[in-house]
Amino acid sequence: MCGIVAAFDLKSSSQSLREQLLEMSKCVRHRGPDWSGIYNDENTIIAHERLAIVDPASGKQPLVSPNGNLVLAVNGEIYNHRALRKQFPDYSFKTESDCEVILPLYQQKGATFLEELNGIFGFALYDKENNSYLIARDHMGIIPLYIGWDKKGTFFVASELKALEGYCNHIEVFPPGHYLDSREGEIKQWYKKAWRDYEHVKDNETDIAKIKKGLEDAVHRQLMSDVPYGVLLSGGLDSSIISAIAQKYAGKRIESDDAEQAWWPRLHSFSIGLKGSPDLAAAQKVADYIGTVHHSIEFTIQEGLDAIRDVIYYLETYDITTVRASTPMYLMARVIKSMGIKMVLSGEGSDEIFGGYLYFHKAPNAKEFHEETVRKLDNLYKYDCLRANKSLMAWGIEGRVPFLDKEFIDIAMNINPQDKMIDGERMEKWVLRKAFEADLPKEIIWRQKEQFSDGVGYSWIDSLKEMVNEKVSDTDLAQAKHRFPTQTPTSKEEYFYRSIFEEHFPSESAALTVPSVPSVACSTPTALKWDKAFENMNDPSGRAVSKVHADAYEK
């Protein structure tokens, strides 16, 4: 995983913009501290900051096709690259980089090849022969990607907002599952799935064994790495399952089809929390059970509070849920980096796919349950994908999310939604728990959902609320519409985060890249209609769901 910055449709001289691109690229160097590369001609400039995970010795970017006509910079990983390479026995690959296969795919098929990729990516490809370019983002938006235009009309692409702020007068988030071919002149969707429609899945059979095999396959292919890796283990259901599967395959090198011993056979796991937090105890129990080399990281409330300003800069958000959860993850990533780990697997995406958030208890029927999971997946790039990627990449660590593997999503979203429903007999994510009940301790498999910002210790969020109440007055909040007429904050906590965000990213265009909608326990606004108690509430903590969470604010 890396950082990219590119300029197309140049309205200033290439040489003058090249110097600017080098400065812009420095803004994302934390994403790729291992090498810097740049390509430019009179029409295009592409800069790349590399984090070397696959083929560290020769996989430098931008990548160039053998005939010199195609230039490519990618932020991401293509998990099925070895299978895709077999389509091109006569192509002269220059590296072992998993991303290089994009060049012959595009050369042969144009933008239609995107559906063949199983991976996470945001890339910019320049076609010199046709003087055109292709921009694309992965199916779920696991990898961040932004676009912008300067006052003269030059078009920019970047992995993070900070590379464009101050240079572009208009900035947008490039949407997940979409591409832009300059010859077509508009952003188009490439990721389209029938399972989005409830009518397509309502009568399907649920095969628990298929779910288990599908997730095991996803973890297995995502262990592709030429550098030391680990797993994030909170002790919750999702991270515990991912860790257990990773431990199953960690002894062999995936690139050899499991024929050779792994280069780093001992799997390291990491958890973070306040002293005595629920997550630390649960994570240690899982680690002891599956046999990882486990590292429990304790942080203090003050250390978390001191990090918030940096967290908002690196995360590029003022969303309450994201800031709350990203702060401990950001602190943990720094420790992981200090141990030489460059890639970790994490459990994001499961709650969206299986309806694991506690407000799903209130879903009135299977149709609304399913439609909410689709809405959650549609918006994941604004929240958990952003958190998982940017919290880790702030320290040059790649995060991979097997639950959001393209093939596994198809399996999990095609099961009968009725079997995901929560009732007196089945708790949230029952299907997933059942699939892996033989792989983990009973008390972990059947542990109630804890959102990451809650699980690190309830006093973390409680202390945040106390702090912002001291920092933001009632008058400040009452007058918020004058200071922030666009997406006006509705709580003191949001006001505080927005104020810090504005210091880093002052433009209105930047503010509009951040979601600002009411939520209870991470619900979408639509799901607030499920329970009258949700009216006039706006609290992303799972404890906001009364009579469901064991430690709910209201019993």
Side-chain angles (χ1 to χ4, degrees):
M1 203 174 291
C2 311
I4 65 172
V5 182
F8 301 99
D9 302 330
L10 306 188
K11 300 300 188 291
S12 302
S13 74
S14 175
Q15 193 55 42
S16 64
L17 277 176
R18 186 182 191 277
E19 297 301 315
Q20 178 181 309
L21 261 288
L22 288 171
E23 290 300 313
M24 296 169 76
S25 193
K26 284 181 185 178
C27 295
V28 295
R29 189 159 293 162
H30 54 278
R31 299 184 64 86
D34 297 335
W35 196 261
S36 300
I38 190 166
Y39 167 89
N40 71 285
D41 63 19
E42 67 276 10
N43 299 312
T44 297
I45 311 168
I46 302 176
H48 186 269
E49 304 291 342
R50 188 183 186 211
L51 178 65
I53 302 290
V54 175
D55 189 18
S58 65
K60 299 172 186 175
Q61 296 191 39
L63 297 160
V64 181
S65 61
N67 63 9
N69 283 334
L70 303 178
V71 183
L72 172 69
V74 187
N75 171 20
E77 306 289 343
I78 309 302
Y79 301 127
N80 61 338
H81 73 106
R82 290 193 299 143
L84 292 172
R85 279 178 177 239
K86 293 176 182 177
Q87 297 182 26
F88 308 102
D90 299 323
Y91 186 85
S92 299
F93 287 95
K94 297 179 179 180
T95 73
E96 294 299 318
S97 167
D98 55 292
C99 297
E100 191 178 3
V101 74
I102 291 173
L103 292 171
L105 282 167
Y106 171 83
Q107 193 169 281
Q108 186 178 99
K109 306 176 184 185
T112 61
F113 76 89
L114 290 165
E115 183 56 51
E116 296 182 47
L117 300 180
N118 185 346
I120 54 177
F121 56 84
F123 70 74
L125 185 153
Y126 174 47
D127 183 338
K128 291 173 64 176
E129 186 175 12
N130 295 299
N131 191 24
S132 64
Y133 53 86
L134 176 68
I135 313 301
R137 191 176 182 190
D138 68 64
H139 59 299
M140 283 288 118
I142 298 161
I143 300 298
L145 195 64
Y146 296 81
I147 55 176
W149 293 262
D150 69 11
K151 291 179 180 179
K152 294 182 179 180
T154 297
F155 175 58
F156 294 89
V157 182
S159 296
E160 293 190 0
L161 171 66
K162 58 182 64 67
L164 302 180
E165 179 72 2
Y167 295 100
C168 295
N169 62 323
H170 181 75
I171 302 169
E172 297 177 6
V173 176
F174 193 88
H178 284 69
Y179 73 91
L180 169 62
D181 186 326
S182 62
R183 290 171 294 184
E184 297 174 2
E186 60 179 322
I187 296 173
K188 294 183 177 180
Q189 186 174 8
W190 66 263
Y191 184 65
K192 303 173 183 178
K193 292 296 176 179
W195 48 252
R196 296 178 60 85
D197 182 1
Y198 174 73
E199 294 299 317
H200 181 81
V201 300
K202 67 177 183 177
D203 298 319
N204 288 358
E205 294 291 323
T206 298
D207 187 335
I208 289 178
K210 188 176 181 180
I211 291 169
K212 181 173 186 179
K213 177 67 164 53
L215 188 57
E216 288 177 337
D217 289 347
V219 172
H220 182 262
R221 63 178 150 260
Q222 293 195 20
L223 290 176
M224 170 186 83
S225 176
D226 291 334
V227 297
Y229 62 84
V231 289
L232 303 187
L233 176 57
S234 71
L237 177 71
D238 307 326
S239 67
S240 297
I241 288 174
I242 297 301
S243 298
I245 300 171
Q247 176 70 335
K248 177 179 177 180
Y249 297 119
K252 299 292 183 180
R253 183 161 163 75
I254 308 310
E255 291 78 0
S256 70
D257 295 320
D258 300 320
E260 301 173 6
Q261 292 293 313
W263 291 356
W264 294 277
R266 296 297 305 279
L267 182 65
H268 290 249
S269 56
F270 300 87
S271 63
I272 189 167
L274 301 172
K275 189 173 183 178
S277 72
D279 277 3
L280 288 181
Q284 188 63 59
K285 183 171 291 187
V286 175
D288 291 343
Y289 188 86
I290 65 177
T292 58
V293 181
H294 188 63
H295 308 274
S296 291
I297 303 160
E298 290 186 5
F299 76 104
T300 66
I301 289 172
Q302 190 59 54
E303 286 170 335
L305 296 178
D306 290 344
I308 285 177
R309 188 170 297 275
D310 287 343
V311 167
I312 291 173
Y313 173 73
Y314 283 108
L315 272 290
E316 304 176 326
T317 187
Y318 48 86
D319 172 67
I320 292 175
T321 317
T322 308
V323 175
R324 286 179 177 180
S326 296
T327 303
M329 196 170 190
Y330 170 85
L331 294 172
M332 176 169 56
R334 190 173 190 178
V335 177
I336 294 172
K337 177 71 170 182
S338 73
M339 298 183 64
I341 301 289
K342 296 180 75 173
M343 183 273 281
V344 292
L345 269 63
S346 189
E348 278 77 16
S350 172
D351 290 317
E352 287 73 19
I353 292 170
F354 292 101
Y357 293 108
L358 297 186
Y359 75 90
F360 274 95
H361 282 251
K362 308 290 188 177
N365 53 58
K367 184 175 187 292
E368 291 205 37
F369 191 108
H370 178 75
E371 289 173 349
E372 176 70 358
T373 62
V374 173
R375 284 191 295 269
K376 288 294 291 180
L377 286 173
D378 283 348
N379 288 291
L380 196 55
Y381 73 99
K382 303 174 185 176
Y383 302 101
D384 285 18
C385 286
L386 181 147
R387 169 177 56 79
N389 183 275
K390 292 182 181 178
S391 296
L392 295 167
M393 289 300 283
W395 299 105
I397 299 170
E398 176 176 301
R400 298 182 184 175
V401 281
F403 279 108
L404 297 177
D405 181 270
K406 191 152 73 82
E407 292 182 26
F408 179 71
I409 289 177
D410 283 347
I411 294 170
M413 290 303 291
N414 270 299
I415 70 175
N416 193 318
Q418 185 62 46
D419 292 327
K420 296 181 182 179
M421 288 284 287
I422 305 159
D423 55 32
E425 298 291 319
R426 297 181 175 186
M427 68 187 302
E428 67 275 356
K429 295 187 285 194
W430 181 89
V431 169
L432 183 63
R433 297 175 193 272
K434 200 70 180 169
F436 288 92
E437 64 178 345
D439 297 74
L440 289 164
K442 183 178 179 181
E443 59 268 35
I444 298 298
I445 283 290
W446 302 107
R447 182 188 179 198
Q448 186 179 57
K449 163 69 183 173
E450 286 280 17
Q451 286 159 217
F452 184 61
S453 52
D454 285 332
V456 297
Y458 297 146
S459 55
W460 166 236
I461 290 177
D462 297 339
S463 297
L464 275 174
K465 290 180 176 180
E466 290 175 16
M467 184 267 290
V468 298
N469 273 327
E470 294 174 4
K471 299 277 189 181
V472 181
S473 69
D474 293 341
T475 302
D476 288 335
L477 186 60
Q479 299 299 318
K481 63 183 177 183
H482 300 296
R483 180 175 176 183
F484 302 113
T486 300
Q487 298 196 162
T488 305
T490 58
S491 71
K492 290 185 177 181
E493 191 172 0
E494 186 180 8
Y495 184 102
F496 180 69
Y497 299 155
R498 178 68 178 278
S499 300
I500 297 172
F501 179 90
E502 183 186 50
E503 293 176 21
H504 295 308
F505 311 105
S507 71
E508 180 178 309
S509 192
L512 288 171
T513 65
V514 180
S516 180
V517 296
S519 174
V520 172
C522 295
S523 71
T524 67
T526 304
L528 294 177
K529 301 173 184 175
W530 290 353
D531 193 311
K532 208 166 176 57
F534 291 167
E535 291 180 9
N536 302 316
M537 286 182 69
N538 187 14
D539 190 333
S541 172
R543 289 182 290 162
V545 187
S546 62
K547 300 179 183 178
V548 175
H549 195 289
D551 292 298
Y553 302 139
E554 297 181 18
K555 299 296 184 182

